[in-house]
Protein backbone atom coordinates (compact mmCIF):
# COMPACT_ATOMS: atom_id res chain seq x y z
CA UNK A 1 0.00 0.00 0.00
CA UNK A 2 1.44 3.30 -0.99
CA UNK A 3 0.82 6.28 1.26
CA UNK A 4 1.04 8.49 -1.78
CA UNK A 5 -1.76 9.17 -4.14
CA UNK A 6 -0.59 10.58 -7.41
CA UNK A 7 -1.53 12.88 -8.93
CA UNK A 8 -1.85 14.47 -5.55
CA UNK A 9 -5.02 16.35 -4.70
CA UNK A 10 -4.83 20.09 -4.27
CA UNK A 11 -3.73 20.73 -0.71
CA UNK A 12 -6.19 22.33 1.65
CA UNK A 13 -4.97 25.78 2.32
CA UNK A 14 -4.96 27.01 5.87
CA UNK A 15 -4.11 30.59 5.20
CA UNK A 16 -3.28 32.86 2.35
CA UNK A 17 -3.58 32.25 -1.35
CA UNK A 18 -1.59 29.36 -2.74
CA UNK A 19 -0.73 31.40 -5.80
CA UNK A 20 -2.17 30.19 -9.08
CA UNK A 21 1.36 30.24 -10.50
CA UNK A 22 2.22 27.25 -8.32
CA UNK A 23 -0.60 25.07 -9.58
CA UNK A 24 -0.22 26.06 -13.20
CA UNK A 25 3.48 25.26 -13.34
CA UNK A 26 4.70 23.59 -16.52
CA UNK A 27 5.45 19.89 -15.93
CA UNK A 28 9.09 20.23 -16.95
CA UNK A 29 9.71 23.43 -14.97
CA UNK A 30 12.21 22.95 -12.14
CA UNK A 31 10.79 22.29 -8.67
CA UNK A 32 13.54 24.46 -7.21
CA UNK A 33 15.29 27.17 -9.17
CA UNK A 34 18.02 29.37 -7.70
CA UNK A 35 20.26 31.91 -9.42
CA UNK A 36 22.95 33.83 -7.58
CA UNK A 37 21.28 32.96 -4.27
CA UNK A 38 22.88 34.77 -1.34
CA UNK A 39 22.31 34.60 2.41
CA UNK A 40 24.16 36.97 4.72
CA UNK A 41 23.99 37.24 8.50
CA UNK A 42 25.48 40.64 9.27
CA UNK A 43 29.04 40.54 7.93
CA UNK A 44 29.04 36.78 7.54
CA UNK A 45 28.11 35.36 4.14
CA UNK A 46 26.68 31.88 4.64
CA UNK A 47 25.60 31.30 1.04
CA UNK A 48 27.56 33.15 -1.59
CA UNK A 49 25.77 33.17 -4.92
CA UNK A 50 24.74 29.63 -5.80
CA UNK A 51 22.84 28.34 -8.85
CA UNK A 52 20.67 25.27 -8.38
CA UNK A 53 17.93 23.54 -10.38
CA UNK A 54 16.10 20.51 -9.05
CA UNK A 55 13.82 18.62 -11.45
CA UNK A 56 10.57 16.84 -10.57
CA UNK A 57 11.16 13.37 -9.14
CA UNK A 58 14.86 13.98 -8.69
CA UNK A 59 16.87 13.15 -5.57
CA UNK A 60 19.19 16.05 -5.00
CA UNK A 61 21.91 16.33 -2.39
CA UNK A 62 23.83 19.17 -0.77
CA UNK A 63 27.20 17.95 0.48
CA UNK A 64 29.82 19.88 2.31
CA UNK A 65 31.71 20.26 5.56
CA UNK A 66 30.12 22.03 8.53
CA UNK A 67 29.63 25.71 7.80
CA UNK A 68 29.56 25.20 4.03
CA UNK A 69 26.12 26.82 3.79
CA UNK A 70 24.00 23.69 3.35
CA UNK A 71 21.60 24.33 6.21
CA UNK A 72 21.20 28.01 5.34
CA UNK A 73 20.29 26.98 1.80
CA UNK A 74 17.81 24.41 3.10
CA UNK A 75 16.20 27.00 5.37
CA UNK A 76 15.73 29.36 2.43
CA UNK A 77 14.17 26.56 0.36
CA UNK A 78 11.96 25.71 3.34
CA UNK A 79 10.76 29.35 3.41
CA UNK A 80 11.76 29.95 7.02
CA UNK A 81 14.62 32.23 6.01
CA UNK A 82 14.52 35.11 3.54
CA UNK A 83 17.19 35.22 0.82
CA UNK A 84 19.48 38.26 1.07
CA UNK A 85 20.00 38.34 -2.67
CA UNK A 86 19.49 36.49 -5.93
CA UNK A 87 16.55 34.60 -7.37
CA UNK A 88 14.77 31.72 -5.68
CA UNK A 89 11.67 30.00 -7.03
CA UNK A 90 10.10 26.97 -5.40
CA UNK A 91 7.34 25.19 -7.32
CA UNK A 92 7.32 28.31 -9.47
CA UNK A 93 6.51 30.53 -6.49
CA UNK A 94 8.44 33.31 -4.81
CA UNK A 95 9.30 32.55 -1.16
CA UNK A 96 9.41 36.27 -0.36
CA UNK A 97 5.71 36.65 -1.06
CA UNK A 98 4.23 33.16 -1.13
CA UNK A 99 5.94 31.45 1.80
CA UNK A 100 2.70 30.06 3.22
CA UNK A 101 1.60 28.62 -0.11
CA UNK A 102 5.00 27.02 -0.70
CA UNK A 103 5.29 25.55 2.78
CA UNK A 104 1.86 23.94 2.29
CA UNK A 105 3.46 21.77 -0.40
CA UNK A 106 6.77 20.96 1.32
CA UNK A 107 7.63 18.24 3.80
CA UNK A 108 10.44 19.10 6.17
CA UNK A 109 12.53 16.68 8.21
CA UNK A 110 14.80 18.88 10.34
CA UNK A 111 18.23 17.93 11.62
CA UNK A 112 17.24 18.24 15.30
CA UNK A 113 14.20 16.33 16.49
CA UNK A 114 11.22 18.55 17.16
CA UNK A 115 8.57 15.99 18.03
CA UNK A 116 6.07 16.95 20.72
CA UNK A 117 6.75 14.83 23.85
CA UNK A 118 3.38 15.82 25.31
CA UNK A 119 1.60 13.98 22.49
CA UNK A 120 1.52 10.32 21.53
CA UNK A 121 3.21 9.04 18.37
CA UNK A 122 -0.01 9.16 16.39
CA UNK A 123 -1.14 12.48 17.86
CA UNK A 124 2.13 14.00 16.66
CA UNK A 125 1.09 13.19 13.10
CA UNK A 126 -2.54 14.21 13.50
CA UNK A 127 -1.75 17.54 15.13
CA UNK A 128 0.86 18.33 12.47
CA UNK A 129 -1.62 17.48 9.71
CA UNK A 130 -4.08 19.93 11.25
CA UNK A 131 -1.52 22.73 10.70
CA UNK A 132 -1.97 22.05 6.99
CA UNK A 133 -5.72 22.41 7.32
CA UNK A 134 -6.28 18.69 6.72
CA UNK A 135 -9.66 17.65 8.21
CA UNK A 136 -9.39 15.69 11.43
CA UNK A 137 -10.87 12.45 10.03
CA UNK A 138 -8.57 12.49 6.99
CA UNK A 139 -5.61 13.33 9.25
CA UNK A 140 -6.25 10.26 11.41
CA UNK A 141 -6.47 7.94 8.40
CA UNK A 142 -3.33 9.50 6.96
CA UNK A 143 -1.51 9.03 10.28
CA UNK A 144 -2.35 5.31 10.33
CA UNK A 145 -1.17 4.95 6.75
CA UNK A 146 2.12 6.72 7.45
CA UNK A 147 2.79 4.81 10.68
CA UNK A 148 2.46 1.65 8.61
CA UNK A 149 4.88 3.09 6.06
CA UNK A 150 7.57 3.89 8.65
CA UNK A 151 6.86 0.67 10.58
CA UNK A 152 5.66 2.30 13.79
CA UNK A 153 2.07 1.05 13.83
CA UNK A 154 2.61 -0.85 17.06
CA UNK A 155 3.88 2.29 18.76
CA UNK A 156 0.95 4.49 17.67
CA UNK A 157 -0.26 5.16 21.22
CA UNK A 158 3.17 5.20 22.81
CA UNK A 159 4.73 8.38 24.08
CA UNK A 160 7.54 9.86 21.99
CA UNK A 161 10.23 9.89 24.64
CA UNK A 162 10.90 6.13 24.95
CA UNK A 163 11.36 5.74 21.17
CA UNK A 164 14.87 5.00 19.90
CA UNK A 165 16.74 7.55 17.79
CA UNK A 166 15.92 5.64 14.61
CA UNK A 167 12.21 5.44 15.47
CA UNK A 168 12.06 9.16 16.23
CA UNK A 169 13.70 9.92 12.89
CA UNK A 170 11.23 7.67 11.07
CA UNK A 171 8.38 9.40 12.89
CA UNK A 172 9.79 12.77 11.84
CA UNK A 173 9.93 11.54 8.24
CA UNK A 174 6.33 10.35 8.50
CA UNK A 175 5.39 13.77 9.88
CA UNK A 176 7.01 15.40 6.86
CA UNK A 177 4.71 13.36 4.60
CA UNK A 178 1.31 14.18 6.13
CA UNK A 179 0.47 16.72 3.40
CA UNK A 180 1.56 14.56 0.42
CA UNK A 181 4.37 17.05 -0.24
CA UNK A 182 5.73 17.80 -3.70
CA UNK A 183 9.22 18.20 -2.26
CA UNK A 184 10.64 16.56 0.87
CA UNK A 185 13.53 18.40 2.52
CA UNK A 186 15.77 16.23 4.69
CA UNK A 187 18.51 17.89 6.72
CA UNK A 188 21.07 15.21 7.63
CA UNK A 189 18.43 12.49 7.81
CA UNK A 190 20.59 9.77 9.37
CA UNK A 191 23.14 11.70 11.45
CA UNK A 192 23.54 10.06 14.85
CA UNK A 193 21.74 6.82 13.97
CA UNK A 194 23.21 3.34 14.36
CA UNK A 195 23.86 1.31 11.18
CA UNK A 196 20.64 -0.72 11.27
CA UNK A 197 18.55 2.39 11.85
CA UNK A 198 20.35 4.20 9.02
CA UNK A 199 19.68 1.40 6.58
CA UNK A 200 16.01 1.30 7.51
CA UNK A 201 15.72 5.07 6.96
CA UNK A 202 17.54 4.79 3.61
CA UNK A 203 15.26 2.00 2.53
CA UNK A 204 12.16 4.08 3.34
CA UNK A 205 13.59 7.13 1.55
CA UNK A 206 14.40 4.96 -1.44
CA UNK A 207 10.77 3.84 -1.53
CA UNK A 208 9.69 7.50 -1.60
CA UNK A 209 12.09 8.19 -4.43
CA UNK A 210 10.64 5.27 -6.39
CA UNK A 211 7.19 6.72 -5.90
CA UNK A 212 8.36 9.86 -7.64
CA UNK A 213 8.70 12.18 -4.65
CA UNK A 214 11.31 14.89 -5.13
CA UNK A 215 13.89 14.58 -2.35
CA UNK A 216 16.35 17.28 -1.36
CA UNK A 217 18.81 16.32 1.33
CA UNK A 218 21.96 17.48 3.03
CA UNK A 219 24.46 15.04 4.37
CA UNK A 220 28.10 14.63 5.11
CA UNK A 221 27.91 10.87 4.81
CA UNK A 222 29.30 9.98 1.42
CA UNK A 223 27.68 6.55 1.38
CA UNK A 224 24.33 8.23 2.03
CA UNK A 225 24.82 10.55 -0.92
CA UNK A 226 25.84 7.68 -3.19
CA UNK A 227 22.84 5.64 -2.07
CA UNK A 228 20.19 8.30 -2.40
CA UNK A 229 21.23 11.13 -4.71
CA UNK A 230 20.72 11.21 -8.47
CA UNK A 231 22.62 14.44 -8.52
CA UNK A 232 24.46 16.48 -5.96
CA UNK A 233 26.42 19.63 -5.36
CA UNK A 234 29.48 19.89 -3.16
CA UNK A 235 29.47 23.16 -1.21
CA UNK A 236 32.44 24.78 0.47
CA UNK A 237 32.57 28.25 2.00
CA UNK A 238 29.09 29.15 0.76
CA UNK A 239 29.83 28.30 -2.87
CA UNK A 240 29.18 25.30 -5.07
CA UNK A 241 32.52 23.72 -5.98
CA UNK A 242 31.22 20.76 -7.99
CA UNK A 243 27.93 19.49 -9.35
CA UNK A 244 26.97 16.22 -11.04
CA UNK A 245 25.83 12.65 -10.43
CA UNK A 246 27.88 10.73 -7.84
CA UNK A 247 29.35 8.48 -10.57
CA UNK A 248 30.31 11.40 -12.81
CA UNK A 249 31.92 13.28 -9.92
CA UNK A 250 34.04 10.27 -9.09
CA UNK A 251 35.10 9.97 -12.70
CA UNK A 252 35.97 13.63 -12.93
CA UNK A 253 37.67 14.26 -9.60
CA UNK A 254 39.04 10.86 -8.74
CA UNK A 255 40.19 7.72 -10.54
CA UNK A 256 38.26 4.51 -10.97
CA UNK A 257 40.20 2.80 -8.21
CA UNK A 258 42.36 3.65 -5.22
CA UNK A 259 45.24 1.66 -3.70
CA UNK A 260 45.75 2.20 0.00
CA UNK A 261 49.33 1.41 1.00
CA UNK A 262 50.68 1.05 4.52
CA UNK A 263 54.38 0.84 5.28
CA UNK A 264 54.67 0.07 8.99
CA UNK A 265 57.10 2.42 10.69
CA UNK A 266 58.82 3.68 7.51
CA UNK A 267 58.63 7.41 6.67
CA UNK A 268 55.68 7.85 4.33
CA UNK A 269 57.17 10.98 2.74
CA UNK A 270 60.22 8.95 1.65
CA UNK A 271 58.01 6.20 0.33
CA UNK A 272 55.92 8.69 -1.62
CA UNK A 273 59.08 9.82 -3.37
CA UNK A 274 59.81 6.24 -4.42
CA UNK A 275 56.26 5.86 -5.74
CA UNK A 276 56.50 8.94 -7.97
CA UNK A 277 55.12 8.35 -11.43
CA UNK A 278 52.80 5.53 -10.46
CA UNK A 279 49.07 6.07 -10.90
CA UNK A 280 47.56 9.45 -11.63
CA UNK A 281 47.95 11.06 -8.23
CA UNK A 282 49.48 10.26 -4.87
CA UNK A 283 48.23 11.51 -1.54
CA UNK A 284 50.08 11.05 1.76
CA UNK A 285 47.92 10.65 4.86
CA UNK A 286 49.28 10.35 8.41
CA UNK A 287 48.91 6.57 8.43
CA UNK A 288 48.86 5.53 4.77
CA UNK A 289 49.46 6.55 1.17
CA UNK A 290 46.64 6.72 -1.37
CA UNK A 291 47.54 5.86 -4.93
CA UNK A 292 44.85 6.93 -7.40
CA UNK A 293 44.80 4.73 -10.51
CA UNK A 294 42.43 3.43 -13.18
CA UNK A 295 43.49 -0.16 -12.52
CA UNK A 296 44.29 -0.70 -8.86
CA UNK A 297 45.69 -4.22 -9.16
CA UNK A 298 48.06 -3.16 -11.92
CA UNK A 299 49.25 -0.21 -9.81
CA UNK A 300 49.73 -2.45 -6.77
CA UNK A 301 51.86 -4.82 -8.88
CA UNK A 302 53.90 -1.89 -10.10
CA UNK A 303 54.59 -0.94 -6.45
CA UNK A 304 56.03 -4.37 -5.65
CA UNK A 305 57.77 -4.28 -9.05
CA UNK A 306 59.81 -1.34 -7.72
CA UNK A 307 61.01 -3.53 -4.88
CA UNK A 308 58.79 -1.87 -2.30
CA UNK A 309 57.09 -4.09 0.27
CA UNK A 310 54.05 -2.44 1.84
CA UNK A 311 52.90 -3.95 5.13
CA UNK A 312 49.36 -3.61 3.88
CA UNK A 313 47.79 -3.16 0.43
CA UNK A 314 44.09 -2.52 -0.19
CA UNK A 315 42.66 -2.01 -3.64
CA UNK A 316 39.18 -0.45 -3.62
CA UNK A 317 36.85 1.44 -5.88
CA UNK A 318 36.96 5.16 -5.61
CA UNK A 319 34.14 6.66 -3.54
CA UNK A 320 32.48 10.00 -3.24
CA UNK A 321 34.52 10.46 -0.09
CA UNK A 322 37.69 10.68 -2.19
CA UNK A 323 36.04 13.36 -4.31
CA UNK A 324 34.74 15.21 -1.30
CA UNK A 325 38.07 15.30 0.49
CA UNK A 326 39.87 16.24 -2.72
CA UNK A 327 37.50 19.18 -3.26
CA UNK A 328 37.06 20.47 0.26
CA UNK A 329 40.44 19.56 1.70
CA UNK A 330 41.38 17.42 4.66
CA UNK A 331 41.59 20.27 7.14
CA UNK A 332 39.22 19.77 10.05
CA UNK A 333 36.34 22.24 9.99
CA UNK A 334 34.51 22.73 13.25
CA UNK B 1 -8.50 31.71 11.85
CA UNK B 2 -8.45 27.96 11.08
CA UNK B 3 -4.66 28.13 11.40
CA UNK B 4 -4.89 29.71 14.87
CA UNK B 5 -7.43 27.09 15.93
CA UNK B 6 -5.18 24.25 14.76
CA UNK B 7 -2.49 25.52 17.15
CA UNK B 8 -5.06 25.78 19.97
CA UNK B 9 -6.13 22.22 19.13
CA UNK B 10 -2.59 20.93 19.64
CA UNK B 11 -2.38 22.69 23.00
CA UNK B 12 -5.68 21.11 24.03
CA UNK B 13 -4.50 17.69 22.84
CA UNK B 14 -1.52 17.99 25.17
CA UNK B 15 -3.65 19.43 27.97
CA UNK B 16 -5.87 16.33 27.82
CA UNK B 17 -3.10 14.47 29.65
CA UNK B 18 -2.79 16.95 32.51
CA UNK B 19 -6.20 18.60 32.85
CA UNK B 20 -7.25 16.61 35.91
CA UNK B 21 -4.32 17.76 38.02
CA UNK B 22 -4.69 21.29 36.72
CA UNK B 23 -8.43 21.53 37.42
CA UNK B 24 -7.98 19.95 40.84
CA UNK B 25 -5.37 22.52 41.76
CA UNK B 26 -7.64 25.31 40.57
CA UNK B 27 -10.19 24.05 43.15
CA UNK B 28 -7.65 23.54 45.91
CA UNK B 29 -5.95 26.90 45.57
CA UNK B 30 -8.95 29.17 46.22
CA UNK B 31 -10.08 26.88 49.04
CA UNK B 32 -6.72 27.28 50.74
CA UNK B 33 -6.80 31.03 50.16
CA UNK B 34 -10.21 31.30 51.74
CA UNK B 35 -9.29 29.18 54.76
CA UNK B 36 -5.74 30.49 55.20
CA UNK B 37 -6.13 34.19 54.53
CA UNK B 38 -9.79 34.96 54.44
CA UNK B 39 -10.93 33.17 57.58
CA UNK B 40 -7.83 32.95 59.78
CA UNK B 41 -6.01 36.20 59.01
CA UNK B 42 -9.44 37.71 58.40
CA UNK B 43 -10.56 37.07 61.98
CA UNK B 44 -7.71 39.31 63.24
CA UNK B 45 -8.28 42.01 60.65
CA UNK B 46 -12.03 42.07 61.23
CA UNK B 47 -11.48 42.40 65.00
CA UNK B 48 -9.22 45.41 64.34
CA UNK B 49 -12.01 47.01 62.30
CA UNK B 50 -9.55 48.38 59.74
CA UNK B 51 -11.93 47.83 56.83
CA UNK B 52 -15.05 49.14 58.53
CA UNK B 53 -18.04 46.93 57.94
CA UNK B 54 -16.35 44.94 55.16
CA UNK B 55 -15.17 41.41 55.95
CA UNK B 56 -11.52 40.78 55.12
CA UNK B 57 -12.48 37.58 53.26
CA UNK B 58 -14.77 39.56 50.97
CA UNK B 59 -12.02 42.13 50.50
CA UNK B 60 -9.28 39.75 49.40
CA UNK B 61 -11.29 37.30 47.27
CA UNK B 62 -11.43 39.57 44.20
CA UNK B 63 -7.73 40.43 44.67
CA UNK B 64 -6.82 36.76 44.99
CA UNK B 65 -8.81 36.03 41.90
CA UNK B 66 -6.80 38.54 39.88
CA UNK B 67 -3.51 37.38 41.35
CA UNK B 68 -4.41 33.76 40.49
CA UNK B 69 -4.91 34.84 36.88
CA UNK B 70 -1.46 36.42 37.07
CA UNK B 71 0.02 33.12 38.33
CA UNK B 72 -1.65 31.10 35.56
CA UNK B 73 -0.42 33.59 32.97
CA UNK B 74 3.14 33.37 34.30
CA UNK B 75 2.99 29.57 34.43
CA UNK B 76 1.80 29.22 30.84
CA UNK B 77 4.11 31.80 29.32
CA UNK B 78 7.53 31.31 30.92
CA UNK B 79 8.92 27.76 30.85
CA UNK B 80 6.46 26.33 28.31
CA UNK B 81 7.33 29.00 25.74
CA UNK B 82 11.06 28.75 26.40
CA UNK B 83 10.79 24.97 26.09
CA UNK B 84 9.06 25.17 22.72
CA UNK B 85 12.04 27.15 21.44
CA UNK B 86 14.93 25.46 23.22
CA UNK B 87 14.04 21.99 24.49
CA UNK B 88 11.25 20.38 22.54
CA UNK B 89 11.53 22.78 19.60
CA UNK B 90 7.89 22.50 18.57
CA UNK B 91 7.80 26.13 17.42
CA UNK B 92 10.54 25.30 14.93
CA UNK B 93 8.44 22.39 13.64
CA UNK B 94 5.34 24.57 13.37
CA UNK B 95 6.99 27.34 11.41
CA UNK B 96 7.91 24.84 8.66
CA UNK B 97 4.19 24.33 7.97
CA UNK B 98 1.81 26.85 6.36
CA UNK B 99 1.33 28.41 9.81
CA UNK B 100 2.55 31.97 10.15
CA UNK B 101 4.30 33.21 13.27
CA UNK B 102 1.21 35.23 14.17
CA UNK B 103 -0.94 32.07 13.99
CA UNK B 104 1.39 30.24 16.37
CA UNK B 105 1.42 33.08 18.87
CA UNK B 106 -2.33 33.59 18.55
CA UNK B 107 -3.08 29.91 19.12
CA UNK B 108 -0.99 29.70 22.27
CA UNK B 109 -2.51 32.90 23.68
CA UNK B 110 -5.98 31.58 22.93
CA UNK B 111 -5.16 28.45 24.91
CA UNK B 112 -3.96 30.63 27.78
CA UNK B 113 -7.24 32.54 27.60
CA UNK B 114 -9.20 29.30 27.98
CA UNK B 115 -7.07 28.31 30.97
CA UNK B 116 -7.68 31.72 32.55
CA UNK B 117 -11.41 31.52 32.05
CA UNK B 118 -11.80 28.00 33.48
CA UNK B 119 -9.59 28.83 36.47
CA UNK B 120 -11.61 31.97 37.14
CA UNK B 121 -14.95 30.19 36.86
CA UNK B 122 -13.79 27.59 39.39
CA UNK B 123 -12.45 30.34 41.65
CA UNK B 124 -15.80 32.13 41.56
CA UNK B 125 -17.67 28.90 42.28
CA UNK B 126 -15.51 28.00 45.28
CA UNK B 127 -15.55 31.47 46.82
CA UNK B 128 -19.31 31.80 46.24
CA UNK B 129 -19.72 28.64 48.28
CA UNK B 130 -18.03 30.53 51.13
CA UNK B 131 -20.43 33.46 50.58
CA UNK B 132 -17.58 35.75 49.58
CA UNK B 133 -19.16 36.94 46.31
CA UNK B 134 -21.87 39.53 46.73
CA UNK B 135 -23.09 40.64 43.34
CA UNK B 136 -24.15 39.21 39.98
CA UNK B 137 -21.71 41.71 38.58
CA UNK B 138 -19.08 39.14 39.60
CA UNK B 139 -19.47 37.63 36.11
CA UNK B 140 -17.59 40.70 34.89
CA UNK B 141 -14.38 39.36 36.48
CA UNK B 142 -14.15 36.79 33.65
CA UNK B 143 -13.15 39.24 30.90
CA UNK B 144 -11.02 41.18 33.40
CA UNK B 145 -9.07 38.07 34.40
CA UNK B 146 -8.68 37.15 30.73
CA UNK B 147 -7.43 40.58 29.79
CA UNK B 148 -5.05 40.73 32.76
CA UNK B 149 -3.67 37.29 31.84
CA UNK B 150 -2.92 38.35 28.26
CA UNK B 151 -1.52 41.71 29.45
CA UNK B 152 0.99 39.85 31.62
CA UNK B 153 1.62 36.79 29.45
CA UNK B 154 2.25 38.52 26.13
CA UNK B 155 5.35 40.43 27.34
CA UNK B 156 6.57 37.23 29.04
CA UNK B 157 6.16 35.38 25.71
CA UNK B 158 8.47 38.01 24.22
CA UNK B 159 10.90 37.64 27.12
CA UNK B 160 10.90 33.82 26.88
CA UNK B 161 11.65 34.04 23.16
CA UNK B 162 14.68 36.26 23.76
CA UNK B 163 16.45 34.74 26.77
CA UNK B 164 19.01 31.99 26.31
CA UNK B 165 18.53 30.17 29.60
CA UNK B 166 15.63 29.30 31.86
CA UNK B 167 17.34 30.73 34.98
CA UNK B 168 15.71 34.08 34.23
CA UNK B 169 12.22 32.85 35.09
CA UNK B 170 12.74 32.27 38.83
CA UNK B 171 14.21 35.79 38.90
CA UNK B 172 11.20 37.17 37.08
CA UNK B 173 9.04 35.42 39.66
CA UNK B 174 10.99 36.74 42.65
CA UNK B 175 11.57 40.29 41.50
CA UNK B 176 8.43 41.05 39.50
CA UNK B 177 5.54 38.65 39.99
CA UNK B 178 5.73 38.23 43.78
CA UNK B 179 6.32 41.94 44.60
CA UNK B 180 3.49 42.79 42.22
CA UNK B 181 1.20 40.35 44.05
CA UNK B 182 2.16 41.85 47.42
CA UNK B 183 1.84 45.54 46.63
CA UNK B 184 -0.95 45.82 44.09
CA UNK B 185 -3.88 46.01 46.47
CA UNK B 186 -4.58 42.30 46.73
CA UNK B 187 -4.11 42.02 50.52
CA UNK B 188 -4.63 45.61 51.65
CA UNK B 189 -5.72 48.92 50.12
CA UNK B 190 -2.77 50.64 48.48
CA UNK B 191 -3.52 53.98 50.15
CA UNK B 192 -1.64 52.49 53.11
CA UNK B 193 1.52 52.40 50.98
CA UNK B 194 4.18 55.15 50.77
CA UNK B 195 3.79 57.15 47.59
CA UNK B 196 6.72 55.52 45.73
CA UNK B 197 5.31 52.04 46.18
CA UNK B 198 1.88 53.28 45.31
CA UNK B 199 3.17 54.39 41.93
CA UNK B 200 4.59 50.90 41.35
CA UNK B 201 1.11 49.56 41.97
CA UNK B 202 -0.34 52.04 39.45
CA UNK B 203 2.17 50.88 36.85
CA UNK B 204 1.58 47.17 37.40
CA UNK B 205 -1.27 45.66 35.38
CA UNK B 206 -2.36 43.66 38.42
CA UNK B 207 -3.58 46.65 40.45
CA UNK B 208 -5.91 47.77 37.65
CA UNK B 209 -7.41 44.28 37.46
CA UNK B 210 -7.77 44.09 41.25
CA UNK B 211 -9.71 47.36 41.32
CA UNK B 212 -12.05 46.12 38.60
CA UNK B 213 -12.56 42.68 40.19
CA UNK B 214 -13.27 44.23 43.58
CA UNK B 215 -15.73 46.63 42.00
CA UNK B 216 -17.51 43.65 40.47
CA UNK B 217 -17.82 41.43 43.53
CA UNK B 218 -18.05 43.87 46.42
CA UNK B 219 -20.76 46.54 46.74
CA UNK B 220 -19.26 49.72 48.13
CA UNK B 221 -16.10 49.40 46.02
CA UNK B 222 -17.83 50.20 42.73
CA UNK B 223 -16.16 52.47 40.17
CA UNK B 224 -17.63 54.82 37.59
CA UNK B 225 -17.93 53.63 34.00
CA UNK B 226 -15.25 56.08 32.96
CA UNK B 227 -12.82 54.76 35.59
CA UNK B 228 -13.58 51.19 34.56
CA UNK B 229 -12.91 52.01 30.92
CA UNK B 230 -9.64 53.66 31.92
CA UNK B 231 -8.47 50.53 33.78
CA UNK B 232 -9.51 48.29 30.90
CA UNK B 233 -7.71 50.52 28.42
CA UNK B 234 -4.55 50.36 30.50
CA UNK B 235 -4.68 46.54 30.55
CA UNK B 236 -5.44 46.46 26.83
CA UNK B 237 -2.39 48.66 26.20
CA UNK B 238 -0.18 46.14 28.02
CA UNK B 239 -1.75 43.29 26.07
CA UNK B 240 -1.33 45.09 22.74
CA UNK B 241 2.25 46.19 23.33
CA UNK B 242 3.11 42.75 24.70
CA UNK B 243 1.66 41.04 21.63
CA UNK B 244 3.66 43.31 19.35
CA UNK B 245 6.88 42.61 21.28
CA UNK B 246 6.18 38.87 21.31
CA UNK B 247 5.52 38.83 17.57
CA UNK B 248 8.83 40.60 16.92
CA UNK B 249 10.73 38.29 19.25
CA UNK B 250 9.15 35.15 17.74
CA UNK B 251 9.92 36.31 14.19
CA UNK B 252 13.52 37.06 15.12
CA UNK B 253 13.87 33.60 16.57
CA UNK B 254 12.00 31.51 14.01
CA UNK B 255 12.29 33.26 10.66
CA UNK B 256 15.88 34.32 10.13
Amino acid sequence: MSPFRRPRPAPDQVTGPVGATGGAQAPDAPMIHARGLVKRFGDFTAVNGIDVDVARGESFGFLGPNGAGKSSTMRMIGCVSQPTGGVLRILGMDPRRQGTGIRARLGVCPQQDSLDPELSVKENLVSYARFFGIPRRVAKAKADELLEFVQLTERADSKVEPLSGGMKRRLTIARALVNDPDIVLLDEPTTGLDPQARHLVWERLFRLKQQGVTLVLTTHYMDEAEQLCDRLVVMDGGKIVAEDSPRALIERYSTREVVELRFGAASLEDMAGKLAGLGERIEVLPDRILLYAFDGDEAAEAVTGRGLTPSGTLVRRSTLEDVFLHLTGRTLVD
Amino acid sequence: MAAVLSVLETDLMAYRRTWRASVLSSFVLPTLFVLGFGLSVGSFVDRGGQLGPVHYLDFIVPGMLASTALQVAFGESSFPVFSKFEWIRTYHAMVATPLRVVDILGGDLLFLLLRLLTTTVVFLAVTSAFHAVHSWWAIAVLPVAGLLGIAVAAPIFAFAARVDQDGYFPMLMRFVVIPMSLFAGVFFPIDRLPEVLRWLAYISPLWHAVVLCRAATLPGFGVSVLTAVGHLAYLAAWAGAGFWLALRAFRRRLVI
Side-chain angles (χ1 to χ4, degrees), chain B residues 225-236:
Chain B
V225 174
L226 198 65
T227 312
V229 169
H231 288 304
L232 288 172
Y234 186 74
L235 290 173

Side-chain angles (χ1 to χ4, degrees), chain A residues 290-301:
Chain A
L290 300 186
L291 185 58
Y292 294 88
F294 177 78
D295 186 333
D297 289 322
E298 199 180 274
E301 271 170 39

Side-chain angles (χ1 to χ4, degrees), chain B residues 32-97:
Chain B
L32 289 178
F33 281 151
V34 167
L35 298 176
F37 285 104
L39 298 180
S40 55
V41 178
S43 70
F44 288 100
V45 178
D46 291 344
R47 227 174 292 156
Q50 290 284 320
L51 287 165
V54 177
H55 285 297
Y56 187 58
L57 174 64
D58 299 347
F59 179 81
I60 65 158
V61 157
M64 284 293 189
L65 189 145
S67 104
T68 301
L70 168 69
Q71 297 286 342
V72 170
F74 175 81
E76 294 290 340
S77 60
S78 50
F79 291 99
V81 172
F82 182 79
S83 164
K84 287 177 180 182
F85 281 112
E86 284 289 324
W87 297 328
I88 62 175
R89 302 179 60 81
T90 40
Y91 284 148
H92 299 275
M94 286 174 161
V95 85
T97 71

